[in-house]
Amino acid sequence: MTHLTMPTDAPPMPALMRANVLLEPGTIEMQHLPIPDPEPGGVVVQVMTALTCGTDLKAFLRGHPKFPTPTLFGHEFAGVIAKVGPGVTRFREGDRVMSTHSAPCGVCYYCQCGQENLCDTIMSSMVLGAYAEYIRIPERIVRQNMYPKPENLPYREAALMEPLACVVHGLEGVTVREDDTVLVLGNGAIALLHVAALKARGVENIIVAGRRAYRQRVARAIGAAQTVDFTNETLPMQIRELTGGRGADLVIECTGQPHIWELAVHLARRGGTVIFFGGCRRGTTVTFDTERIHYDEITLRSPFHMTPRAVRQARELLLERRVDWGQLITADYPLERLGEALDQLQRGDCIKFAILP
């Protein structure tokens, strides 16, 4: 493990930190808040890079049930340990780290069944506040989902570990051959993380259906063999033409729109698989053709969140550097300009932004 040597004459840590607070949907305020202290077994991380994500954008635009305002927010990050709590032995001050914002309890029914992503408390105990200079990470995350960051892995790429772990979990249990045709619906950050993860696994024939020219260029740069315009009327015909009339072996829905969920089922081949990765709004419903599902033996999967196993695998993918992960980060913004970054993210001609304290 690499440790940073802290000079003996280093100035003492400040008492306050700059932190972005979401006061209400559409309103962010930079505040000066006390730097937190670590709990037993936990640490405080000085954030070196935080990344924007679609969940944070939704919270900013219209609120989020898991983000009661006012609240700190931001959850994709990498940094340097500033403080360690009692009982921490794996890390010490000055260590470069990459981490997630949640971890399972390990004792509930779902954890005991090996479904840690469905842990009873994984969502209620998640940590928010990466759009700040410091963030406090509790013991369960430090123990299970925090890792050393190699010096040659940029912080901005290390911060991709959490969303990539969700993608890795979504692909677990799905058999994908290198010569399979995979169709990714959507070309946002999560969709393109799927492309990169599949490319790293050796899959060559990846088709991305989307609308933004910039994102389609990035999709091709990180491994998509083809990109097509996303229109509900023409997409089924396009996919049939590209697959010899069969349909895709694997369809991954990344838009979170109910009508695209319904469309996805008709884009898979007989015996194919559909992954519903994009979460729809609470209360929405979808309708499927039961004959299509049953007689064509379509497998439907709806993965959620991540497991510690997926986090380990995501870290390994980042360290292997089989794809240029940095292409998923469009530009950098200082901490004070988070609102501008989220406004730009809403416009769509980008993937992710790195927020630098």
Side-chain angles (χ1 to χ4, degrees):
M1 182 184 301
T2 301
H3 299 283
L4 295 179
T5 301
M6 305 299 285
T8 56
D9 59 348
M13 283 186 61
L16 299 177
M17 67 175 182
R18 294 174 302 141
N20 282 289
V21 177
L22 181 63
L23 298 180
E24 60 184 14
T27 304
I28 297 173
E29 180 178 87
M30 177 69 75
Q31 296 185 5
H32 289 81
L33 303 176
I35 296 175
D37 289 319
E39 65 178 45
V43 302
V44 173
V45 173
Q46 181 181 3
V47 178
M48 303 304 291
T49 300
L51 299 179
T52 59
C53 97
T55 301
D56 295 331
L57 178 62
K58 291 176 185 177
F60 172 66
L61 293 176
R62 59 176 183 262
H64 192 284
K66 297 295 183 181
F67 297 9
T69 55
T71 181
L72 295 167
F73 72 133
H75 62 275
E76 298 177 11
F77 68 96
V80 176
I81 292 183
K83 301 179 185 180
V84 296
V88 175
T89 58
R90 290 181 55 227
F91 301 101
R92 67 186 186 189
E93 292 179 10
D95 285 350
R96 305 176 180 93
V97 293
M98 48 205 296
S99 178
T100 67
H101 70 305
S102 69
C105 71
V107 297
C108 73
Y109 173 83
Y110 297 100
C111 287
Q112 293 299 305
C113 289
Q115 295 176 299
E116 298 99 329
N117 59 304
L118 300 179
C119 168
D120 281 333
T121 59
I122 200 165
M123 298 306 290
S124 61
S125 63
M126 67 180 179
V127 174
L128 301 175
Y131 298 139
E133 292 181 292
Y134 296 89
I135 185 170
R136 178 167 56 190
I137 308 301
E139 182 273 340
R140 67 158 71 173
I141 298 176
V142 173
R143 174 168 44 88
Q144 298 179 80
N145 286 342
M146 178 175 283
Y147 290 94
K149 185 197 78 67
E151 188 171 357
N152 64 348
L153 181 68
Y155 285 105
R156 64 210 312 265
E157 295 180 28
L160 288 167
M161 185 174 72
E162 187 272 338
L164 181 58
C166 295
V167 168
V168 169
H169 171 68
L171 293 173
E172 282 185 345
V174 177
T175 301
V176 186
R177 303 186 315 184
E178 293 184 0
D179 61 344
D180 277 349
T181 296
V182 179
L183 171 63
V184 179
L185 299 176
N187 57 9
I190 282 293
L192 298 185
L193 277 168
H194 275 91
V195 174
L198 289 164
K199 186 66 175 181
R201 289 173 58 168
V203 180
E204 294 293 335
N205 193 19
I206 305 170
I207 304 169
V208 174
R211 292 195 177 102
R212 307 262 182 194
Y214 170 79
R215 292 179 175 180
Q216 295 293 64
R217 289 196 299 271
V218 175
R220 292 189 293 271
I222 63 173
Q226 299 180 78
T227 56
V228 296
D229 289 336
F230 199 145
T231 59
N232 295 355
E233 295 77 16
T234 62
L235 189 58
M237 180 179 64
Q238 289 178 287
I239 299 307
R240 286 195 297 271
E241 291 176 351
L242 293 171
T243 59
R246 292 186 305 275
D249 299 283
L250 173 63
V251 179
I252 305 174
E253 200 289 328
C254 294
T255 73
Q257 300 181 55
H259 68 284
I260 306 301
W261 275 44
E262 294 174 342
L263 176 65
V265 170
H266 296 280
L267 301 175
R269 67 165 173 83
R270 297 178 63 213
T273 297
V274 178
I275 296 177
F276 298 115
F277 194 95
C280 302
R281 286 193 180 191
R282 177 179 295 179
T284 56
T285 60
V286 294
T287 302
F288 296 129
D289 182 341
T290 55
E291 180 178 7
R292 168 66 169 151
I293 300 295
H294 179 68
Y295 289 100
D296 288 344
E297 201 173 73
I298 306 298
T299 299
L300 306 180
R301 297 175 60 91
S302 55
F304 169 73
H305 209 54
M306 60 192 168
T307 63
R309 180 178 59 254
V311 175
R312 290 194 299 272
Q313 294 173 357
R315 181 176 183 268
E316 291 169 3
L317 282 177
L318 291 171
L319 268 56
E320 288 171 0
R321 310 301 292 274
R322 294 184 186 179
V323 297
D324 183 0
W325 301 98
Q327 293 188 82
L328 297 175
I329 301 166
T330 304
D332 298 345
Y333 276 87
L335 193 63
E336 295 81 1
R337 296 173 59 195
L338 172 63
E340 293 178 47
L342 293 175
D343 286 338
Q344 180 66 23
L345 195 65
Q346 182 184 8
R347 288 193 282 272
D349 292 324
C350 53
I351 311 298
K352 280 181 173 288
F353 292 112
I355 307 300
L356 308 179

